Amino acid sequence: MLHNPASKYRPFAPVNLRDRTWPDAQITHPPIWCSVDLRDGNQALIEPMDVERKIRMFEQLVKIGFKQIEVGFPSASQTEFDFMRKLIEEKRIPEDVTVQVLTQAREHLIQRTFEALEGVPRAIVHLYNATAPVMRRVVLNMSEDEIVDLARTHAQMFKDFAARYPQTQWQFEYSPEMYSDTELEFSTRVIDAVTEVWEASPEKKCIINLPTTVEHSSPNVFADMVEWTCRNIQRRDGVIVSVHPHNDRGTGTATAELALMAGADRLEGCLFGNGERTGNLDIVNVALNMYIQGVSPGLDFSNIDAIRATVEYCNQLPVHPRHPYVGDLVYTSFSGSHQDAIKKAFAARKEGDIWDMPYLPIDPKDLGRSYEAVIRVNSQSGKGGIAYLLEAEYGVQLPRRLQIEFSQVVQHEMDALGTEFAAADLWKIFEKEYCLFNDHGLQYAMQQEKGLVKLQGSLQWQGQTVPLQGSGNGAIDAFVQALSNGLGCTLRVQDYSEHAIGQGANAQAMAYVELRVNDDQTIYGVGTDANIVSASMHAILSGLQRSKLQVAETA
């Protein structure tokens, strides 16, 4: 690093806004939310989502409550184009949801984008072109006048192409890309040129999106920029001001919140902050920050672990264990003084009291989390050591949440015996707790028919032979359906992982499943077998048996 960074980097110039009003503003209602997980977030992945993952993400976003979802860049590739067509032709877009797509300011790309949207009931079409000095000078080699003409020309193309599809309810969005690095007077000039072409009015509002394409300033400076822009653009009453923060400085959440205080109406971002470089705005973070201030965000995160499981599956990226609100460890205190304060506060709290708890800004139960990690925090102190010993001695690689669950079982045994446990002791507890070698007399046969797996078989359950019959997208899905039918319960696999133990002919598969049982209990099961499918089925049975035992113990 340089001794004098000023020789290489210049400070971001402040905005001359002496009468700023945003510092005294409060966020009293949610913005218009727009998820960009399927476009901006997808472009940022090491492996972009396939169609199955895109569908799963889209359905998750709808379930959370997003009414605007940017689903892709249909002119960028055939895959993106085909996904847009799939959503439309299979009528997967709910009546209260508007899809959004992005296109560069190029005629053939705009044409291709509108072709992809043919037949869609409602759509936001998002146009962008770069406006920052470095882009004008180095990349585009264009003058300010040429940039304005470019934006105006392609804004007119939007109107012309939209007129060819009158059955669709269109809304237009424009981004002066790299707004955060563009002179305010010039970005305003470009915005005004676009809104003039689009004839923005209170009856026909367009969206003007102000991105922090790269974070260079502190959040208060960006808030000044937003307030200045809101004051100075023409046709403000016909404009929905949107912001699209990135997180290069690690201040994306603050940037979004201050921008709302400065007059922004709408936020674009991703679940848990996925996105290029250091990511986009974490919409979950901002929404739940509002929630703990008593403002309903209009988005449902009451089963945040299931949402995280979907995001991790679709993005093939983990969510950090200390990520705000959702990480495995965010409601866990390891300090003895913290533990004591939390336990005393829980003991003193009455149902219906305003939430006022030390070290816990939100009630974990509001997000579908339990109090176990909070109340019995001592049981988690040794989870890392427990996991290490089982892996080192037995090759077992426990998923993080299973580490937490099993460490509580071990702590209970430690409390009862008061002795130190070796790896062999831990393995015995593990075998017993997860019914590791009880196969329940499972017998099954499977066949594929028209893309579905059909399963028939039987198992021994509580002294009875239970017939199994089910179908699904794969063997596990079919088995879960068969169990649900045969045992009269509701089962859902929330998380799954597996690995091999040993090598060669003696290798065994170890499978771990996180089950949701009857929509009110989340529990792990573990199974082992030479066959990975059978190991997975045994893991599901393990979790189901543990569920029954726990229910019986609390009855």
Side-chain angles (χ1 to χ4, degrees), residues 438-444 457-468 479 483 487 538 541-542 544-545:
N438 185 351
D439 65 4
H440 297 280
L442 175 64
Q443 296 182 357
Y444 66 91
S458 64
L459 74 139
Q460 300 300 312
W461 188 259
Q462 297 181 335
Q464 296 183 353
T465 299
V466 177
L468 298 176
F479 185 61
L483 280 179
L487 299 179
H538 293 325
L541 291 171
S542 161
L544 190 56
Q545 183 170 346

Side-chain angles (χ1 to χ4, degrees), residues 379 383 386-387 390 396-413 425-440 461 509-515 521-529 534-550 553:
S379 66
K383 68 179 179 59
I386 292 168
L390 286 177
V396 175
Q397 301 168 16
L398 302 183
R400 180 174 293 277
R401 291 194 289 281
L402 178 53
Q403 291 178 30
I404 296 171
E405 182 185 277
F406 182 56
S407 68
Q408 295 168 3
V409 175
V410 173
Q411 187 66 52
H412 180 75
E413 295 286 336
D425 301 315
L426 296 174
W427 179 246
K428 288 179 181 178
I429 298 170
F430 189 73
E431 282 182 319
K432 178 182 176 183
E433 178 65 23
Y434 294 97
C435 320
L436 210 54
F437 297 109
N438 185 351
D439 65 4
H440 297 280
W461 188 259
M510 182 75 80
Y512 313 92
V513 294
E514 189 178 33
L515 284 180
Q521 187 183 24
T522 301
I523 196 164
Y524 258 98
V526 181
T528 184
D529 195 274
S534 294
S536 303
M537 292 178 177
H538 293 325
I540 293 169
L541 291 171
S542 161
L544 190 56
Q545 183 170 346
R546 295 182 67 237
S547 169
K548 297 286 186 184
L549 290 172
Q550 288 191 10
E553 288 171 0

Side-chain angles (χ1 to χ4, degrees), residues 207-509:
I207 301 167
I208 296 298
N209 190 53
L210 309 177
T212 52
T213 307
V214 180
E215 273 197 324
H216 285 310
S217 73
S218 52
N220 62 300
V221 174
F222 187 77
D224 281 349
M225 295 174 68
V226 172
E227 183 166 342
W228 191 98
T229 299
C230 287
R231 290 187 192 183
N232 287 277
I233 58 173
Q234 299 173 16
R235 294 168 282 277
R236 175 65 179 95
D237 61 353
V239 169
I240 296 168
V241 174
S242 175
V243 292
H244 184 118
H246 280 247
N247 200 41
D248 301 271
R249 290 167 51 97
T251 57
T253 295
T255 295
E257 292 180 336
L258 268 57
L260 292 178
M261 293 161 63
D265 309 301
R266 181 177 184 267
L267 289 181
E268 294 187 346
C270 292
L271 298 176
F272 311 126
N274 179 46
E276 289 186 296
R277 304 186 309 276
T278 52
N280 292 299
L281 167 70
D282 178 359
I283 282 185
V284 183
N285 201 343
V286 177
L288 292 179
N289 284 355
M290 292 181 188
Y291 182 81
I292 64 173
Q293 296 293 309
V295 177
S296 175
L299 299 175
D300 183 5
F301 298 109
S302 57
N303 192 354
I304 203 165
D305 286 343
I307 295 170
R308 177 183 60 185
T310 296
V311 170
E312 289 181 329
Y313 170 76
C314 293
N315 291 343
Q316 300 182 71
L317 292 171
V319 173
H320 195 279
R322 297 202 186 277
H323 195 99
Y325 297 112
V326 69
D328 283 327
L329 302 178
V330 295
Y331 305 117
T332 303
S333 292
F334 293 96
S335 163
S337 60
H338 289 193
Q339 296 166 13
D340 184 61
I342 291 169
K343 289 177 181 177
K344 289 177 179 176
F346 267 121
R349 187 174 186 276
K350 297 181 178 63
E351 190 65 34
D353 287 353
I354 289 294
W355 187 258
D356 185 19
M357 297 288 290
Y359 310 113
L360 289 173
I362 192 171
D363 186 346
K365 282 198 171 180
D366 288 358
L367 305 180
R369 301 284 286 267
S370 74
Y371 290 146
E372 290 302 307
V374 175
I375 297 173
R376 299 188 62 194
V377 286
N378 281 334
S379 66
Q380 302 195 27
S381 303
K383 68 179 179 59
I386 292 168
Y388 173 80
L389 286 174
L390 286 177
E391 182 169 2
E393 297 295 327
Y394 296 95
V396 175
Q397 301 168 16
L398 302 183
R400 180 174 293 277
R401 291 194 289 281
L402 178 53
Q403 291 178 30
I404 296 171
E405 182 185 277
F406 182 56
S407 68
Q408 295 168 3
V409 175
V410 173
Q411 187 66 52
H412 180 75
E413 295 286 336
M414 285 183 173
D415 291 342
L417 299 177
T419 60
E420 182 179 358
F421 287 171
D425 301 315
L426 296 174
W427 179 246
K428 288 179 181 178
I429 298 170
F430 189 73
E431 282 182 319
K432 178 182 176 183
E433 178 65 23
Y434 294 97
C435 320
L436 210 54
F437 297 109
N438 185 351
D439 65 4
H440 297 280
L442 175 64
Q443 296 182 357
Y444 66 91
M446 293 183 296
Q447 62 179 8
Q448 283 196 325
E449 185 176 324
K450 295 182 180 179
L452 289 178
V453 173
K454 292 191 173 183
L455 180 145
Q456 286 188 324
S458 64
L459 74 139
Q460 300 300 312
W461 188 259
Q462 297 181 335
Q464 296 183 353
T465 299
V466 177
L468 298 176
Q469 186 169 349
S471 62
N473 295 327
I476 302 307
D477 191 24
F479 185 61
V480 168
Q481 291 297 325
L483 280 179
S484 299
N485 296 336
L487 299 179
C489 59
T490 302
L491 294 178
R492 186 170 69 250
V493 175
Q494 290 198 162
D495 196 20
Y496 169 84
S497 60
E498 53 86 19
H499 62 84
I501 297 178
Q503 294 179 341
N506 295 322
Q508 292 281 305

Side-chain angles (χ1 to χ4, degrees), residues 91-168:
K91 300 187 185 303
R92 291 178 175 269
I93 306 168
E95 291 184 1
D96 60 346
V97 172
T98 301
V99 293
Q100 175 174 308
V101 294
L102 186 73
T103 179
Q104 289 175 289
R106 297 182 186 177
E107 182 175 5
H108 70 286
L109 299 181
I110 293 172
Q111 179 178 349
R112 180 73 168 162
T113 299
F114 276 91
E115 289 171 354
L117 290 167
E118 183 177 1
V120 71
R122 299 156 307 283
I124 298 168
V125 193
H126 185 178
L127 173 72
Y128 74 96
N129 63 278
T131 57
V134 66
M135 298 296 286
R136 301 195 306 259
R137 184 180 66 252
V138 177
V139 179
L140 301 174
N141 192 26
M142 297 176 72
S143 67
E144 291 186 4
D145 288 345
E146 288 173 319
I147 292 291
V148 174
D149 287 342
L150 177 73
R152 183 183 288 114
T153 298
H154 290 91
Q156 182 62 48
M157 286 182 190
F158 264 43
K159 288 182 65 176
D160 296 341
F161 278 110
R164 301 180 187 180
Y165 305 95
Q167 74 279 14
T168 296

